[in-house]
Amino acid sequence: MSVRGSGVDEVVGCLPLKLVVGYRSVDSGGYLGSIMLVMDSRFTQQELPACKPILTPRWVISAFMLVSIVFIPIGLASLFASRDVVEIIDRYETDCIPQALRNDKVKYIQGPEDKTCNRTLRVPKRMKQPIYVYYQLDNFYQNHRRYVKSRSDKQLKDPKSENDVSACKPEDATPPGSNPIVPCGLIAWSMFNDTYSFSRNSEQLPLNKKGISWKSDRQHKFGKEVFPKNFQNGTLIGGAHLNSSIPLSEQEDLIVWMRTAALPTFRKLYGKIEVDLQANESIEVQLKNYYNTYSFNGKKKLVLSTTSWLGGKNDFIGIAYLSVGGLCFVLAMAFTIIYLVKPRRLGDPSYLSWNRNP
Amino acid sequence: MAGWRGSRSRPGGGSPRAERIPSSRTIQLGHVQPQAPGHRTVFCNDREANVNAKFKGNSISTTKYNVLTFLPKGLFEQFRRVANSYFLMISLLSCTPVSPVSPITNVVPLSMVLFVSLVKEAYEDWKRLQNDKAINNSSIEVLQDRRWESIPWKKLQVGDVVRVRQDAFFPADLLFLASSNSDGVCYTETANLDGETNLKIRKALERTWDYVTSEKASEFNGEVQCEQPNNSLYTFTGNLIIEKQTLPLSPNQILLRGCSLRNTEYIVGTVMMNSMNVPSKRSTLEKKLDKVIVSLFLILFCMCLIGSMGGAIWINLKDYYLQLGKKDSTNTPQFDPNNRFAVFALGIFTLITLYSPIIPISLYVSVEMIKFIQSTQFINNDLHMYHTETNTPALARTSNINEELGQVEYIFSDKTGTLTRNLMEFFKCSIGGESYGTGITEIEMGGAQRNGKNIGEVRNSSIAIREKGFNFDDARLMHGAWRNEPYPDMCKEFFRCLAICHTVLPEGEESPEKIQYQAASPDEAALVTAAKRFGFFFFRRTPTMIYVRESHVEKMGKVRDVSYEILNVLEFNSTRKRQSVICRYPDGRLVLYCKGADTVIYERLTSGNNDLRNTTREHMEQYGAAGLRTLCLAYKDLSLDMYESWNEKFIQAKSSLRDREKKLDEVAELIERDLNLIGCTAIEDKLQEGVPSCIETLSRAGIKIWVLTGDKMETAINIAYACKLINNDMKQFIISSETAAIREVENKGDQVELERFIKDAVKTELKKCHEEAQNYLQSASGPKLALLIDGKCLMYALDPSLRRMLLSLSMSCSSVVTRLVRKGAQRITLSIGDGANDVGMIQAAHVGVGISGLEGMQAVMASDFAIAQFRFLTDLLLVHGRWSYLRICKVVTYFFYKNLTFSLTQFWFTFETGYSGQRFYDDWFQSLYNVLFTALPVIIFGLLEKDVSASLSKKYPELYKEGIRNAYFKWRVLGILAFFSVYQSIVVYNFVLTSSSRGVTSSGKMLGLWDVSTMAFTCLVITVNLRLLMMCNTITRWHHISVGGSILLWFIFIFVYSYISTNKGIFYVIYVLTSTLYFYITLLLVPVVALLGDFLYQGIQRWFFPYDYQIVQEVHRHEPDGSSAGLLEIGNQLTPDEARSYAFAQLPQEKSKHTGFAFDSPGYESFFASQQGVKAPQKAWDVVRRASMRSKPKKPQTS
């Protein structure tokens, strides 16, 4: 056996072979009916049908125009929707501390004093029901790594997983290591506990606190049979207390609070006022200023807002759409002008690098 | 698997004395003969005695792994890559509490990547194993217990006595003991090694002639002392010691592995062997990839530094809700406000794991997959590179370096068998001032085409006879028609000269059809064949006689056998450049026939008859211009007295002991004068098909081509012209050792002096050329430059002190040794060759290409790519190489972009989380981002992307320059991409977060962290995938499917995932999102805004600063793919060919304008020289290879 013989066979043998008996004309002249050791398909010959888009000025201009045509109406619509929304924002964390005690706010908030605070809000425009009541916290890092993971989703859902508190440290059990806290973890422990009640002309405005959380949370994440246990029993009280006779699935404030916010400035839904408010009406708010944001200089705001089809007041989307649409229009114009002023013939061979510098 | 002299020999086992060739990096080229320290002793026919020496076995192994080493070695190879080892580290890190992400985030992609890579490695190695097995299991007869037994090659051991039969291959390097021919001669074909198909004669030592039969051979017990295995094919030193008698061995007794036995029934030899190993090559792009990854790592490190510094500053007891100060088991020092340094230090680790996806882990595996498919599917199956005649497809033997094919700047090509077919054909002749032969060479055709003339197919008259070595057609000479020509006597002399003046051996049946001519050089065979066709059939040779069957001499149709007594043969050598034979006709006429180079013949012509001289010279110039090799024929009638007095001197010279050669030359000089010119012959050294146009295309593509040839300078120039390697527009620099000054010193015979002198000469030459070259380069429209340098000079020029100059000179030349450039310049080199003599060159270059097909397998086995024809290089480089380069570059930059973008969104989020290292995305998002949601489109892209079609790539070879310049993989390109990464990540992150900060449904509910991040991730996946489409020049439905599929896959994934993961923040998120209008509005806004920047950039770039390929696309935008309409020649001015003789005028010592010069084959000299025991001259490629081999470091060095 010779190397050559075996060798050539080997070369062939290495190939993933598919014998193709066929006819095919190649550039160098056709050949007929030979057995070829190559796979002849459009894929292997790299001749798959394809479109070859060339970014000609016409394309660029049309694309810009298209974007502006689509974006400007959407921008206008969302901007109008956003403008329709009436929003009342009341920042109260300083105002709700008696003047005399403002030097040491932390001491005040931790002290036994009455925390009631009355605020008056003026309705600037007619507000159609439902009017959503939010609280907004600033500089509160609900998205801190230590905070986000400090919860037990199992425990919240299933009464049997009561002891699944390993992620919740240091608020896992009270005293540590014995009775598990339900709901455990820093998130629940630090729940917001300011309360608001509204009245108009001394007449109480009913505040609907049902349905403020996402339905999926209520139904799937917070168990109907899970009741608060050992909650806020520690030495350090973080925030709200929970009624231990109400299952977690109905503790909507908790559910809302537990859906941690993405940014350190966030709003959370507190309730809904389901009557229309007229322009220039005054709304009295009696709030209990319990929550301690003073140690970290957090702001607290009360927000009343209506919604549109797009949601709350959100100029950003409208402005973004409008400006992008506008920018595209300008660009389309600019390109058109360039196209007219300084045209470049498509496929002008003199632009080829080897023709440019002889 | 070259044998003894095989390339890249590995030290022959761990023999005690085996001090190998020192692996010093200095190249000592002054010594032609490298003295390998130490030698080996082989005891023949005595396996026991050889055990001590521990010689290597005869099996070859080109595999990288075996079953046991596969996992450790394979994993080691994988972790040698920066990215993989990085991910291993990250995976380990993510198992610690420091990590914000769970280990799956990194372990999943890493294991997927490793798995795919290992499977690929295993597959490739398995294929190599199959190859090796076939070779190792070839059988060979070995003498065992006084009998010949068949054993496989791999079982062969050093010292065994073997019998090789006709047409079989030598299984190892053998010492030739005896042959079935009584005179101890055998013929070998060395095509496997050097690509030459002519037979070489090997002669056993007389002392060993008898060991033919098994009985006799078993009595043989000699001892061979020889040099250690090395890679020089033409030298060998050693001794055979039999019964205390020391016999010197020469290359003449060595049969090299890979050669085959011809015309000899069988031979007996003893084994001295070796095998080789194959270096693994990594592409320079891959090495650069590592650099990119290191720089990404630096970016990562900066990001971590910023983040953790921020963390250390931010951390504060006041945020009581985080209970940072609390001391308990969970509270690592990471969140201890009192230990800010710990916060900082641990923060770095946290953030590294968090940002780890910035390093594209799936990059290598994707790139490997792409390259693998490129080579197995595209290169191996390309019909344009499929050679129908031999049924040979192209073969990519490695898929590591595909994209280097797109960046080749230097091609080193072997000549014989690669550029030329090593097929000499008698093509034209001029007799008595009359030119005969109607053929048109490829060069003439090319020239005519350039001048706008169209020459049809070569008209073959019906009587044309074609056979090997004869491609002549002219009715005036054939079938005795020469009798009617003006000078029939001249014709007769011409034909007789052809039939008598040679050293050819006839073989086989004595009939014109069946006879075989064995010649040392194919030129000679061609000439004798021509004589046969003209009716002067040389059919028998005895030591003193030549028998010629002459037809039509006396009268048409009459045939008679004439015997000529050969009195003397004045042999050819390189100084004489001619060969003469003195013969006696049956009628007693004494004639000297001489053939040789025109320069030497013209000097020795008798005066007068200037007309004939001039017309013949004119013809020779014409032939030369047509790329033919010419030989002058002359004769001289001798008188008996004169001859006898001369013959005495000749015999005297022949028997002299000192300076025999020189004396012989002098004596020959006495009789070779006053010759009568007969005419000249023109032989075509058949080029491989399509070589000239291929070379022209390649040089237009900015590739510099160096041809390495063993020919004379003139022949080299001739071939260079023939291949369109040089043309008259070029300024040529010629550095030759054949100058008067050098020759003078040579004649003094002082080697040291000679060395010094040549060195100086080369130095001054180089300096001169270099300066001149600089001048040309500075002038804007200077001519292209070409450098011609002969082996001897090259050897000196490669000397470290001169190397730099040679390098810079050669780099400015567009047309001219492999390692040199590879080491000195950061350019990609490609070597192409067909024989084992090219193996070193092939392995030393970045890309080695072997010519497969007719010749042997040696080159192919060592190569990275094998093609059947030189001309396929166009397709391999301009189409596959260019596309591969383009694709890989774009794939790599895309990976860079998409991972940077992803990590940056994460980075921006860090600022909003109090630098705590909270992850923005879910673990699975992060781990699947690279391997699922953005993986497939980029692979499809890497496979199918084409900027311009194959035919356009070949039509505009200049496009290839973008690869040489590395235009697609510059820091600038990466910088622009990085800029858009930053832009896009800011858009995605900020737009989503800002727009989601208010109520998002008409029911006023708010989104949480996971809703927002899912939203952002959705936008990111869409943006990144669409961005890929924007990069495409070709969009097939597979692009649509893969891009659409990836986005769809993400949605399917998130819908399923967020449904089933009830215990995670991600639960139900997507359902919440899709229930809002906000989701859709943002989804339209964010990708559009993110991609607007790129779109604008691309629009402007294309409009104002178009790439060449973009212009070409535009030019051919209306053509369907694959069509090639009329070539648009732009500013390509062509000049006529006349001035080509300029180059020859420059040749020192060469007054003539002619070119052709037969006796090309290097084998010729060695053949005759070795017959007389003279050492064969050094071959250019040997020198070159030695230069490249000697300095070989173990691993391919980084560029």
Side-chain angles (χ1 to χ4, degrees), chain B residues 1005-1024:
Chain B
K1005 287 169 196 145
M1006 306 297 300
L1007 294 178
L1009 168 61
W1010 302 114
D1011 311 279
V1012 175
S1013 71
T1014 307
M1015 180 78 223
F1017 194 78
T1018 310
C1019 290
L1020 191 71
V1021 168
I1022 292 175
T1023 306
V1024 165

Side-chain angles (χ1 to χ4, degrees), chain B residues 13-79:
Chain B
S15 108
R17 261 175 296 172
E19 299 169 65
R20 313 286 41 266
I21 299 163
S23 61
S24 75
R25 282 177 158 264
T26 45
I27 294 181
Q28 295 286 334
L29 279 153
H31 307 289
V32 175
Q33 195 71 47
Q35 298 300 317
H39 59 279
R40 53 160 60 177
T41 306
V42 175
F43 300 97
C44 304
N45 232 346
D46 188 354
R47 284 198 169 186
E48 283 77 38
N50 284 321
V51 167
N52 296 332
K54 290 187 181 134
F55 294 119
K56 266 182 77 67
N58 196 42
S59 68
I60 57 153
S61 170
T62 54
T63 58
K64 283 200 237 167
Y65 315 103
N66 62 38
V67 178
L68 281 178
T69 60
F70 177 70
L71 216 56
K73 210 173 158 191
L75 280 176
F76 173 74
E77 284 284 322
Q78 291 303 317
F79 286 119

Side-chain angles (χ1 to χ4, degrees), chain B residues 967 969-979 1097 1101 1105 1107:
Chain B
F969 202 70
K970 283 186 172 154
W971 291 113
R972 197 173 63 89
V973 175
L974 289 179
I976 290 169
L977 267 178
F979 171 78
Y1097 171 77
Q1101 180 270 326
F1105 316 101
Y1107 281 111

Side-chain angles (χ1 to χ4, degrees), chain B residues 418-463:
Chain B
T418 306
L419 294 177
T420 63
R421 300 184 193 183
N422 200 26
L423 188 67
M424 304 291 173
E425 288 190 334
F426 189 88
F427 199 69
K428 288 187 181 191
C429 61
S430 159
I431 308 172
E434 196 70 42
S435 175
Y436 299 95
T438 56
I440 295 164
T441 62
E442 268 194 50
I443 299 154
E444 286 176 304
M445 241 183 293
Q449 267 162 17
R450 263 174 287 160
N451 293 336
K453 276 180 242 160
N454 202 5
I455 299 177
E457 282 295 292
V458 182
R459 295 142 283 143
N460 273 347
S461 67
S462 52
I463 52 161

Side-chain angles (χ1 to χ4, degrees), chain B residues 5 94 112 174 191 203 236 277 375 381 406 829 888 895 1086:
Chain B
R5 301 321 173 79
S94 60
M112 276 171 85
L174 303 177
K203 198 169 182 182
F236 179 82
N277 58 346
S375 44
N381 284 315
T829 57
I888 300 295
F895 263 96
V1086 173

Side-chain angles (χ1 to χ4, degrees), chain B residues 183-339:
Chain B
D183 51 356
V185 164
C186 76
Y187 299 89
T188 67
E189 192 183 89
T190 57
N192 251 347
L193 293 180
D194 53 16
E196 289 159 18
T197 44
N198 53 298
L199 301 186
K200 308 245 169 23
I201 295 174
R202 292 285 179 265
K203 198 169 182 182
L205 294 172
E206 252 185 282
R207 177 70 181 75
T208 62
W209 282 6
D210 314 331
Y211 299 110
V212 180
T213 59
S214 54
E215 291 78 27
K216 198 83 172 95
S218 57
E219 287 161 21
F220 176 70
N221 53 354
E223 185 185 323
V224 180
Q225 286 180 342
C226 58
E227 59 190 35
Q228 291 292 354
N230 59 58
N231 49 46
S232 160
L233 289 172
Y234 301 101
T235 61
F236 179 82
T237 47
N239 290 316
L240 174 66
I241 304 169
I242 309 179
E243 290 154 13
K244 306 220 168 115
Q245 192 184 353
T246 305
L247 302 163
L249 295 175
S250 71
N252 227 353
Q253 284 86 42
I254 304 303
L255 306 170
L256 299 177
R257 177 170 184 160
C259 299
S260 56
L261 185 66
R262 289 293 138 96
N263 301 329
T264 311
E265 196 186 329
Y266 60 86
I267 61 104
V268 174
T270 182
V271 176
M272 318 175 293
M273 72 182 88
N274 189 28
S275 41
M276 72 164 183
N277 58 346
V278 180
S280 74
K281 290 178 183 175
R282 285 182 81 193
S283 81
T284 45
L285 190 85
E286 196 169 299
K287 283 175 219 143
K288 199 160 177 185
L289 261 186
D290 282 350
K291 272 189 202 163
V292 167
I293 281 174
V294 169
S295 54
L296 272 175
F297 191 82
L298 287 179
I299 296 178
L300 168 72
F301 193 71
C302 289
M303 281 162 59
C304 293
L305 216 58
I306 293 171
S308 54
M309 279 196 310
I313 294 165
W314 183 88
I315 201 110
N316 198 323
L317 265 180
K318 283 178 181 168
D319 293 284
Y320 69 91
Y321 54 93
L322 300 174
Q323 300 198 354
L324 295 172
K326 189 139 179 170
K327 294 268 188 283
D328 62 30
S329 57
T330 58
N331 213 357
T332 59
Q334 188 168 16
F335 295 116
D336 186 357
N338 301 316
N339 188 354

Side-chain angles (χ1 to χ4, degrees), chain B residues 941-961:
Chain B
F941 173 83
L943 289 176
L944 303 177
E945 170 67 2
K946 288 197 275 188
D947 52 351
V948 296
S949 67
S951 56
L952 290 179
S953 301
K954 287 186 271 184
K955 196 181 209 174
Y956 296 95
E958 290 88 351
L959 288 175
Y960 189 80
K961 287 178 182 163

